[in-house]
């Protein structure tokens, strides 16, 4: 609030008195603890997937003094851990029609629900938690865009069964990087001459190629959402080979987990490395994955792996 003061001064002389009056005004913001912000809106017009403008409406008692306030802005993706907040202290923000405009740049994820918190404090009050207003919270979703991340896949992310069927596996694109709704994977299956034999869209992170594919195949994996397809892709080449190169042994260790060990069926085979793939499954069935795979590469001189 704005206070007006009058200073009365009286000077005493012999047989007379001299009076001086001084008038002045003062804004007493040092002791102000503001009420919470009245309203928050996010302006999506002219925004991109990486920035938005937050419109903050102050209580009527504070609107004339917005230039004397500082703003504490906290932001994170709604489903992120509580420790992932980004935080900024902002001053001298633009004002339009009694609305404070807060620009937010470098938002991490497209088409993602975000949680926003804003509070305010007088610039001149003590830097103490109790001098801030309570937070006002708001949730909004960023604008969608084409997917950019493609599925992670490895050179050995497939298995050829005895009947000739080929199971192909890849890692899931995390939800924060799907950039839109209706996310899927598109497989473009090509023969050795580069001709596309089939296009398949699905949500799962594995696929079975039936035995009628007898050619050496290349599978290009694209990310797809409601806007369109990724401009890049992940790729794997599959040679139709039924020969088994290793014998695998699995042991359950009661105090740890599993130990996998293996040995070559033919010691004369040159091996660059081994790749171990694993996933979660409801039933112990060969090649049955009910989750995305994980994988790691093992040097050729190691023949065991602990999980």
């Amino acid at each position: 609030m704005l206070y007006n003061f009058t200073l009365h001064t009286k000077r005493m002389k012999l047989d007379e008195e001299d009076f001086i009056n001084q008038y002045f005004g003062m804004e007493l913001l040092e002791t102000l603890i503001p009420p919470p912000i009245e309203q928050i809106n996010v302006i999506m017009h002219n925004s991109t997937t990486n920035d938005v403008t937050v419109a903050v409406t102050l209580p009527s008692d504070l609107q004339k003094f917005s230039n004397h306030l500082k703003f504490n802005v906290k932001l994170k993706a709604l489903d992120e851990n509580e420790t992932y907040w980004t935080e900024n202290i902002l001053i001298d923000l633009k004002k339009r029609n009694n609305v404070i405009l807060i620009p937010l740049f470098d938002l991490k994820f497209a088409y993602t629900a975000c949680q926003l918190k804003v509070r305010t404090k007088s610039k001149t009050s003590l830097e103490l938690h109790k001098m801030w207003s309570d937070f006002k919270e708001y949730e909004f979703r960023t604008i969608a865009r084409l997917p950019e991340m493609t599925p992670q896949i490895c050179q050995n992310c497939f298995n050829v069964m005895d009947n000739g069927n080929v199971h192909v596996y890849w890692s899931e694109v995390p939800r924060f990087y799907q950039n839109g709704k209706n996310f899927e994977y598109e497989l473009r299956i090509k023969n050795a001459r580069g001709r596309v034999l089939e296009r398949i869209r699905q949500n799962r992170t594995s696929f079975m190629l039936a035995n009628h594919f007898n050619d050496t195949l290349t599978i290009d994996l694209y990310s797809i959402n409601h806007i369109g397809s990724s401009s890049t892709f992940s790729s794997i080449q599959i040679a139709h080979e039924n020969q088994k190169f290793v014998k695998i042994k699995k042991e359950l260790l009661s105090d740890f987990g599993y130990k996998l060990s293996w040995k070559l069926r033919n010691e004369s085979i040159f091996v660059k490395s081994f790749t171990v793939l694993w996933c979660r499954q409801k039933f112990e069935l060969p090649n049955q994955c009910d989750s995305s795979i994980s994988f790691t590469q093992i040097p050729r001189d190691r023949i065991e792996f602990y999980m």
Side-chain angles (χ1 to χ4, degrees), residues 20 22 40 44 62 64 73 86 111 129 131 138 143 145 158-159 170-171 194 198 200 204 220 240 242 253 269 275 307:
I20 300 175
Q22 179 68 43
I40 297 177
M44 305 305 292
L62 291 180
K64 293 181 180 180
V73 181
T86 59
Y111 200 71
H129 173 74
M131 301 308 295
Y138 187 80
I143 295 174
R145 67 169 179 255
F158 68 94
N159 186 34
W170 58 92
S171 292
E198 194 170 356
I200 298 160
R204 291 176 57 84
D220 295 336
H240 208 276
N242 288 342
L253 307 178
I269 297 173
T275 305
M307 275 189 80

Side-chain angles (χ1 to χ4, degrees), residues 154-156 245-246 262 264 266-276 296-303:
C154 64
Q155 185 179 356
N156 300 322
F245 293 103
V246 295
W262 56 88
L264 290 171
N266 182 350
E267 295 293 338
S268 65
I269 297 173
F270 174 74
V271 174
K272 291 173 61 178
S273 64
F274 299 100
T275 305
V276 179
T296 187
Q297 198 170 67
I298 307 294
R300 66 180 182 179
D301 57 349
R302 272 185 54 193
I303 56 171

Side-chain angles (χ1 to χ4, degrees), residues 27-188:
E27 293 177 358
L28 296 184
L29 295 174
E30 290 83 356
T31 60
L32 173 69
I33 300 176
I37 285 167
E38 190 170 280
Q39 187 176 358
I40 297 177
N41 288 298
V42 171
I43 303 172
M44 305 305 292
H45 178 64
N46 294 331
S47 296
T48 70
T49 57
N50 296 106
D51 66 87
V52 297
T53 300
V54 179
V56 170
T57 303
L58 296 173
S60 57
D61 291 344
L62 291 180
Q63 289 182 1
K64 293 181 180 180
F65 305 101
S66 60
N67 59 321
H68 293 278
L69 301 175
K70 61 170 61 175
F71 296 83
N72 178 203
V73 181
K74 298 178 71 173
L75 178 72
K76 74 176 185 69
L78 186 60
D79 294 335
E80 278 189 304
N81 187 290
E82 285 296 319
T83 62
Y84 288 1
W85 290 98
T86 59
E87 186 169 5
N88 290 289
I89 304 295
L90 304 172
I91 59 174
D92 301 327
L93 295 167
K94 290 183 179 179
K95 186 176 180 181
R96 186 174 66 197
N97 298 328
N98 288 327
V99 173
I100 308 297
L101 301 179
I102 303 176
L104 299 179
F105 302 106
D106 299 324
L107 302 180
K108 291 188 291 184
F109 308 118
Y111 200 71
T112 298
C114 295
Q115 187 174 4
L116 175 70
K117 293 182 178 181
V118 184
R119 63 179 179 173
T120 188
K121 184 182 84 70
S122 167
K123 291 179 183 178
T124 53
S125 63
L126 294 175
E127 294 296 331
L128 299 174
H129 173 74
K130 68 179 182 179
M131 301 308 295
W132 287 92
S133 70
D134 293 333
F135 275 111
K136 179 77 171 181
E137 297 191 23
Y138 187 80
E139 294 177 10
F140 67 96
R141 183 179 293 277
T142 52
I143 295 174
R145 67 169 179 255
L146 286 174
E148 296 165 347
M149 181 179 287
T150 58
Q152 187 178 6
I153 200 165
C154 64
Q155 185 179 356
N156 300 322
C157 286
F158 68 94
N159 186 34
V160 181
M161 302 291 290
D162 292 334
N163 61 6
N165 292 341
V166 181
H167 291 262
V168 184
Y169 311 95
W170 58 92
S171 292
E172 181 181 37
V173 171
R175 184 162 48 85
F176 284 143
Y177 296 95
Q178 295 178 3
N179 294 357
K181 59 185 177 182
N182 303 330
F183 184 85
E184 292 180 308
Y185 305 99
E186 181 175 280
L187 294 80
R188 300 182 188 179

